[in-house]
Amino acid sequence: GTISSLQRQLEIQESQLRRTTSEKETLQRKLREHENQLQAMSAKICSLSEEREHEEMMMAIEKENCSLRQVVTEQESKLAEQNKLISELQGTVSQLRAEVLSSRQHIHKQQQAQQEIQSRAEALQHRELQTRVALECITSRFERYRSKIIQATFSTAGSKPPQAEVTDEEVLEAMQKIINERLEFHQMLKQKGIK
C-alpha cells in the first residue's frame, strides 16, 4: 500500500513536471517570436526613407518595443518561476523514488524475516513433536518401572496388597520397611555368628 501510494505520487509529480517543462518550452518559443518581431521591426526602420514616416514609425516601434519589452520581462519572470517549479518537482520526484526504493527494501527485509521466523517455527514444531514422543516413551517406561516396583514391594511375605491407587510415598514407605527388616535380620544373624 505504501509503495502504491508513493508510486501514484511519483506519477502525479512526473506528470506535473512534464506539463511544466512543456509550458517552459512554450514560453521560450513565444520569447523567440517576440525577439524575431523586434528584429523585424528594426529592419522596417532601416527600410523607411521619409523622415516623417520614419519618426511616426519610430514612435510606433518604440511604443511596440516598450510593450514587447514588458511582455518579454513578464515571460522571463514566468520562465524563472517555471524553472524554479521544475527544480522543486525534480527534487520531489527524486525523493519519492528514494522512498519507493526504501519501502521495497524494507518489505523485502520483512519478507526475509518472516520466512526465517516461519522456518524457525517449523523447526520448533518438529522439536516439540520429537520431545512429546520422547516424553511419552519415558512416561511409559516410568509407569512400567513403577508397576514392577509396586509389584515387587507388595508381593513380599507379610505385605498386604494395596486396595486402591498407591502413592509414591506409600511405595517408598513399604520399600523402606522391607529394607529395615532385612537390616534387622542381618544384624540378628551377625549377633548369632551366622554368616
Side-chain angles (χ1 to χ4, degrees), residues 184-195:
E184 290 175 2
F185 183 69
H186 185 262
Q187 289 294 331
M188 184 180 68
L189 291 176
K190 280 181 71 178
Q191 290 173 359
K192 292 183 176 183
I194 302 172
K195 293 184 180 181

Side-chain angles (χ1 to χ4, degrees), residues 126-188:
H126 183 66
R127 288 179 63 184
E128 181 186 5
L129 181 61
Q130 289 179 332
T131 305
R132 285 183 178 177
V133 171
L135 180 61
E136 289 176 1
C137 181
I138 292 170
T139 304
S140 177
R141 289 177 63 187
F142 173 76
E143 289 298 329
R144 288 198 302 270
Y145 182 65
R146 186 176 184 273
S147 177
K148 288 180 180 180
I149 291 175
I150 293 172
Q151 185 179 358
T153 302
F154 290 98
S155 65
T156 58
S159 297
K160 294 180 180 180
Q163 301 297 323
E165 182 68 25
V166 182
T167 63
D168 292 342
E169 288 78 10
E170 291 174 343
V171 174
L172 285 173
E173 288 177 2
M175 288 181 67
Q176 191 65 46
K177 182 179 179 182
I178 294 171
I179 293 168
N180 291 336
E181 289 176 352
R182 289 194 62 185
L183 286 174
E184 290 175 2
F185 183 69
H186 185 262
Q187 289 294 331
M188 184 180 68

